Amino acid sequence: MPPPADIVKVAIEWPGAFPKLMEIDQVSAQMAQQLHERIQSSSMDMKLDALKDLANSSRDITFAQEFINLDGISLLTQMVESGTDFGDLLSFTLTAFVELMDHGIVSWDSFSVAFIKKIASYVCKSAMDTAVLQRSLAILESMVLNSQDLYQKVAQEITIGQLIPHLQGKVILYLHSSAMFSVCLKFYFSLVCQNVIRSNKPINDEMAHQLYVLQVLTFNLLEDRMMTKMDPQDQAQRDIIFELRRIAFDVECESNNSGSIEKRKSMYTRDYKKLGFINHVNPAVDFTQIPPGMLALDNMLYFARHHQDAYIRIVLENSSREDKHECPFGRSSIELTKMLCEILKVGELPNENCHDFHPMFFTHDRSFEEFFCICIQLLNKTWKEMRATSEDFNKVMQVVKEQITRALTIKPNSLDQFKSRLQNLSYTEILKLRQSERMNQEDFQSRPILELREKIQPEIMELIKQQRLNRLCEGTCFRKISSRRRQDKFWYCRLSPNHKVLHYGDLEESPQGEVPHDSLQDKLPVADIKAVVTGKDCPHMKEKGALKQNKVLELSFSVLYESDEYLNFIAPDKHEYCVWTDGLNALLGKEMTSEFTRSDMDTLLNMEMKLRLLDLENIQIPEVPPPIPKEPSNYDFVYDCN
């Protein structure tokens, strides 16, 4: 028999490796032979040491192959079936067995019923060593996963009821078959929720993976209904649609003799239209699409029966709107059910490395139906917030999907927490989150974008400066400063159109509009202004008896001009304070530093960036500019305009 292809390849590419491989095989064979003899020793201490070494060495596939060739698996099963070894001896025996079987060399179908019964007996015992219990559960799980025949034998020896005490003790065996964990599902989920989900102890990775597997397999029980089309001729299925109509409009089933056939058809068509079905004449056709098939109808019936008030409100609320603004309950339910199946990956096999489970789905035995009931009400709410029409149906569904997925990311512990989270994810909030994330994308932090921002920033700053100076030209009415109590005396100040003179003067009363320059007798040339001071540095804030309230202090500023004289201001509000301090600093050629300037800069700069990048939507912007091509050998191709 020729050697395997991979060994031939190793021998050709690495000639010195082949003797090494032969040497390793010889060492493994010798070690396997020694351990095979030692575990049969009459000395308990020698046997225990041998089993410890065997448990560690069995992880190596070369050693495992040699030990199995010595009929080592049969030896271990005989030791287990004899039942003479307990405690550490049994624990290391089962550990070695699990490690050897994990290599996939020996088929699981080769084990006897006596061995299965013995392993099952360890699981059923109330007082059993934890290590032995865990290894026994692992062996039973592998049998169920790898052999349908063994699954039937294991099912006869151990039931869900016998596993429940171990669940309460934080040890779980998940037999990966719907027939096993669909039994007593409500009670089973209650125990998982009480003893694992809501336990004070943290959930480790292994437990998280098992909970994820249980979640996936539970939802996969829905696959059959999801892939079942409705039979329009099946009267039992049609009765479900009649039940939806009866609950919504509180009508009794009409007898066959009540009115003409045409009248009854017209009445049914009208009601089915109000219910939001696509096919008003025969709504059963709507459920022939798979997915979601009959699962959508099941969800609708559950919602109508268990949340009757919410169901009636949604149907009647939408049937009273204009046709283009109604949110069709039937169509929405079908598309929503399909979306939820996609989000929860109904029908897909579990991922071996995934730990992503949702605690809230273990708090209710009808969690998928309750999940649907919350989401259908969310859809109706979002439809109203978006003021959507029938043409916006797909846009609404996209927003609803984003709301659901965002709410699921926080892993709510209950359906009520999930519902509360959705309340905070309104359509307006989704728009804000989208804008924030868009601005934080890598494209907006790339070097070309940052360079563009720096280039645009001076233009925006100049625009803000012009706006501030224009406001100063319009002028503002200020209240006169007095050491006495508040007096209704005012003065007005404004900048000349050529930005060279400040005109100001007293007023008898607050003006209704702008005050002309001619009525303001006092003037202050801008060229004479030396500085602008604010807050505590203002002279009118240092005077005895001056108002010392923080609000007044924040609105105070003064203009220092020649001969060390001041023109003192108290702005009517924060906006006018920022406008005047920015404007005066701009006149003096200084930087505008108010919080209003920063806010205006961010708003205008972001808007300008979006407008300039509008044509580059979904286009990757390179980090490095493209190379400049070489100059042509001649310019004869240039068109002569003359």
Side-chain angles (χ1 to χ4, degrees):
M1 179 183 234
D6 54 347
I7 297 180
V8 173
K9 183 178 180 181
V10 170
I12 294 174
E13 296 184 2
W14 294 282
F18 195 71
K20 293 291 184 182
L21 292 174
M22 295 294 292
E23 184 178 343
I24 292 172
D25 288 342
Q26 292 174 0
V27 172
S28 298
Q30 292 175 3
M31 185 183 298
Q33 182 65 44
Q34 292 174 1
L35 288 177
H36 190 272
E37 295 173 356
R38 288 170 58 195
I39 62 176
Q40 300 180 68
S41 172
S42 58
S43 171
M44 289 299 177
D45 292 337
M46 184 177 294
K47 179 183 287 191
L48 179 60
D49 291 339
L51 287 170
K52 287 181 181 179
D53 294 340
L54 179 62
N56 292 326
S57 302
S58 296
R59 299 171 186 171
D60 179 64
I61 189 171
T62 305
F63 171 84
Q65 181 69 64
E66 295 295 337
F67 188 80
I68 291 171
N69 290 341
L70 296 172
D71 209 12
I73 293 289
S74 297
L75 178 59
L76 294 177
T77 55
Q78 289 173 9
M79 293 171 62
V80 172
E81 290 175 11
S82 65
T84 56
D85 298 329
F86 297 95
D88 290 341
L89 285 172
L90 180 58
S91 174
F92 287 116
T93 300
L94 295 179
T95 302
F97 178 84
V98 171
E99 295 292 346
L100 290 169
M101 292 302 297
D102 280 348
H103 296 296
I105 300 172
V106 179
S107 172
W108 283 93
D109 289 312
S110 60
F111 297 103
S112 65
V113 175
F115 178 75
I116 297 173
K117 287 184 176 182
K118 199 64 180 180
I119 297 297
S121 68
Y122 298 145
V123 175
C124 297
K125 287 182 180 179
S126 57
M128 180 55 64
D129 181 70
T130 302
V132 173
L133 178 60
Q134 290 178 342
R135 302 300 182 273
S136 301
L137 291 171
I139 292 170
L140 291 178
E141 182 179 17
S142 297
M143 288 180 175
V144 171
L145 283 172
N146 291 279
S147 173
Q148 182 63 29
D149 183 51
L150 283 180
Y151 162 69
Q152 300 296 336
K153 295 177 181 178
V154 171
Q156 294 174 3
E157 299 298 328
I158 189 166
T159 64
I160 291 291
Q162 292 169 322
L163 292 176
I164 285 174
H166 303 308
L167 175 64
Q168 293 171 326
K170 310 296 186 301
V171 180
I172 299 180
L173 165 67
Y174 289 113
L175 299 180
H176 294 188
S177 169
S178 61
M180 291 297 288
F181 71 82
S182 61
V183 180
C184 303
L185 192 60
K186 181 177 181 179
F187 181 57
Y188 188 50
F189 268 26
S190 175
L191 288 173
V192 171
C193 181
Q194 182 179 355
N195 295 284
V196 181
I197 302 295
R198 294 177 179 171
S199 173
N200 294 327
K201 294 184 178 180
I203 297 176
N204 57 35
D205 289 344
E206 177 61 24
M207 179 64 75
H209 173 70
Q210 295 289 6
L211 290 171
Y212 154 77
V213 172
L214 177 60
Q215 173 185 293
V216 171
L217 296 178
T218 304
F219 285 138
N220 283 355
L221 296 176
L222 305 170
E223 184 180 10
D224 183 56
R225 295 293 285 174
M226 182 182 73
M227 302 305 294
T228 300
K229 294 182 179 181
M230 184 173 185
D231 182 4
Q233 306 303 321
D234 189 329
Q235 187 59 41
Q237 295 179 357
R238 292 169 62 87
D239 287 343
I240 299 177
I241 299 178
F242 293 152
E243 179 72 0
L244 292 174
R245 174 177 174 266
R246 184 194 65 78
I247 296 174
F249 304 113
D250 194 23
V251 296
E252 295 296 334
C253 293
E254 296 82 359
S255 62
N256 294 331
N257 298 324
S258 59
S260 64
I261 297 177
E262 289 77 10
K263 183 178 179 180
R264 280 190 284 115
K265 283 185 177 180
S266 175
M267 186 166 51
Y268 288 160
T269 301
R270 179 200 64 197
D271 290 345
Y272 291 150
K273 182 179 180 182
K274 290 181 180 179
L275 281 169
F277 290 111
I278 299 174
N279 192 315
H280 305 154
V281 179
N282 186 11
V285 177
D286 290 7
F287 300 97
T288 57
Q289 172 193 353
I290 55 172
M294 289 295 293
L295 184 60
L297 187 59
D298 295 342
N299 285 338
M300 294 169 68
L301 183 62
Y302 181 90
F303 181 51
R305 286 178 173 173
H306 294 82
H307 301 272
Q308 194 171 114
D309 292 342
Y311 167 70
I312 294 173
R313 185 184 70 252
I314 288 177
V315 173
L316 297 183
E317 184 180 280
N318 286 289
S319 62
S320 63
R321 296 178 185 169
E322 296 180 19
D323 287 347
K324 66 176 183 178
H325 284 287
E326 68 175 356
C327 177
F329 174 73
R331 182 186 176 190
S332 299
S333 298
I334 293 170
E335 292 299 322
L336 179 62
T337 301
K338 182 179 178 181
M339 178 201 296
L340 297 182
C341 290
E342 292 174 355
I343 292 174
L344 300 178
K345 300 179 180 178
V346 175
E348 296 185 15
L349 294 176
N351 189 324
E352 293 183 0
N353 300 317
C354 187
H355 307 87
D356 186 21
F357 74 96
H358 296 281
M360 71 176 188
F361 291 127
F362 296 91
T363 61
H364 201 287
D365 59 305
R366 301 292 295 274
S367 58
F368 184 80
E369 290 85 347
E370 288 292 327
F371 186 46
F372 168 84
C373 294
I374 294 172
C375 294
I376 192 65
Q377 296 178 72
L378 168 71
L379 193 153
N380 188 65
K381 173 176 171 286
T382 303
W383 185 283
K384 291 188 291 185
E385 291 174 349
M386 294 178 65
R387 299 180 182 178
T389 64
S390 55
E391 297 176 353
D392 301 321
F393 185 86
N394 291 332
K395 293 180 181 178
V396 175
M397 295 303 294
Q398 290 175 1
V399 174
V400 170
K401 184 174 183 179
E402 185 172 349
Q403 290 171 314
I404 295 171
T405 52
R406 286 182 182 274
L408 287 176
T409 55
I410 66 169
K411 301 295 180 63
N413 290 323
S414 66
L415 291 165
D416 288 337
Q417 283 189 15
F418 174 71
K419 191 174 182 179
S420 299
R421 174 59 177 161
L422 289 177
Q423 294 295 327
N424 298 326
L425 286 173
S426 62
Y427 175 59
T428 304
E429 184 64 22
I430 290 294
L431 291 180
K432 291 180 181 178
L433 291 171
R434 284 179 176 178
Q435 182 178 4
S436 175
E437 290 172 358
R438 194 178 299 118
M439 293 305 298
N440 292 328
Q441 288 176 355
E442 293 183 1
D443 288 347
F444 281 86
Q445 304 301 323
S446 62
R447 189 164 63 88
I449 301 299
L450 294 177
E451 290 178 357
L452 179 61
R453 289 177 69 92
E454 292 177 2
K455 183 178 180 181
I456 296 175
Q457 197 162 343
E459 302 175 15
I460 303 299
M461 186 60 72
E462 183 63 27
L463 181 64
I464 296 173
K465 175 182 175 181
Q466 292 301 321
Q467 188 274 339
R468 299 292 192 264
L469 294 177
N470 289 339
R471 278 289 293 109
L472 264 60
C473 290
E474 294 175 4
T476 302
C477 178
F478 299 93
R479 196 175 295 278
K480 286 188 70 68
I481 302 167
S482 174
S483 59
R484 299 179 182 180
R485 292 200 169 221
R486 179 175 175 179
Q487 297 178 351
D488 292 329
K489 290 188 177 181
F490 306 91
W491 66 288
Y492 199 88
C493 185
R494 64 181 298 178
L495 181 66
S496 62
N498 62 4
H499 301 169
K500 291 186 177 182
V501 179
L502 285 175
H503 297 265
Y504 62 96
D506 295 341
L507 298 175
E508 293 296 329
E509 58 183 3
S510 179
Q512 298 299 319
E514 293 185 17
V515 177
H517 295 86
D518 300 341
S519 60
L520 302 175
Q521 302 300 324
D522 299 317
K523 299 180 180 180
L524 173 60
V526 173
D528 294 342
I529 298 177
K530 295 182 179 179
V532 177
V533 293
T534 60
K536 295 180 180 179
D537 296 331
C538 298
H540 58 303
M541 290 292 103
K542 297 178 182 179
E543 295 175 0
K544 184 178 180 180
L547 296 173
K548 296 183 179 180
Q549 299 177 14
N550 290 334
K551 186 175 180 181
V552 175
L553 195 64
E554 291 175 356
L555 301 178
S556 302
F557 62 96
S558 300
V559 174
L560 173 64
Y561 55 97
E562 60 181 4
S563 302
D564 294 331
E565 295 186 7
Y566 289 88
L567 188 60
N568 299 318
F569 299 77
I570 296 181
D573 52 50
K574 189 67 175 178
H575 181 265
E576 289 296 322
Y577 171 83
C578 292
V579 166
W580 274 87
T581 53
D582 283 342
L584 292 171
N585 282 324
L587 288 173
L588 299 178
K590 296 182 179 180
E591 185 179 357
M592 298 183 292
T593 58
S594 74
E595 59 186 62
F596 272 62
T597 295
R598 292 193 295 271
S599 175
D600 290 347
M601 171 62 74
D602 290 340
T603 302
L604 295 173
L605 188 57
N606 290 337
M607 188 180 300
E608 183 68 18
M609 289 289 294
K610 290 176 183 177
L611 290 173
R612 296 202 182 193
L613 298 174
L614 195 60
D615 293 335
L616 298 179
E617 187 74 22
N618 298 324
I619 296 178
Q620 185 69 30
I621 301 175
E623 285 289 331
V624 180
I628 299 175
K630 296 180 180 180
E631 291 189 9
S633 57
N634 61 70
Y635 292 88
D636 295 342
F637 58 87
V638 177
Y639 180 74
D640 187 358
C641 298
N642 298 324

